[in-house]
Amino acid sequence: MTHLQTHSQPETHPQPTKNLVEARQGETTGHMRWVLGISLSLAIVALGVIYLWFLHGQHA
């Protein structure tokens, strides 16, 4: 059989098993909550400043 031919039966490989800690994709340190909270706060402040700037500009 050459390297271009395929086997008539697929080879069976045992599936790797992982426990819950090994399979977890993210971290549980809580740093992302701080980043998201600060980003949300800054976005609210920035939109408030922009709103007040446009509101003030209309009265001039």
Side-chain angles (χ1 to χ4, degrees), residues 14-56:
Q15 294 294 323
T17 57
K18 295 181 179 183
N19 62 27
L20 290 176
V21 175
E22 293 172 336
R24 179 171 289 157
Q25 294 292 315
E27 296 182 12
T28 58
T29 58
H31 290 105
M32 264 332 271
R33 289 184 183 148
W34 281 101
V35 171
L36 291 173
I38 292 170
S39 299
L40 178 63
S41 300
L42 290 174
I44 291 171
V45 169
L47 288 174
V49 168
I50 292 170
Y51 175 76
L52 291 175
W53 183 59
F54 278 111
L55 185 67
H56 179 69

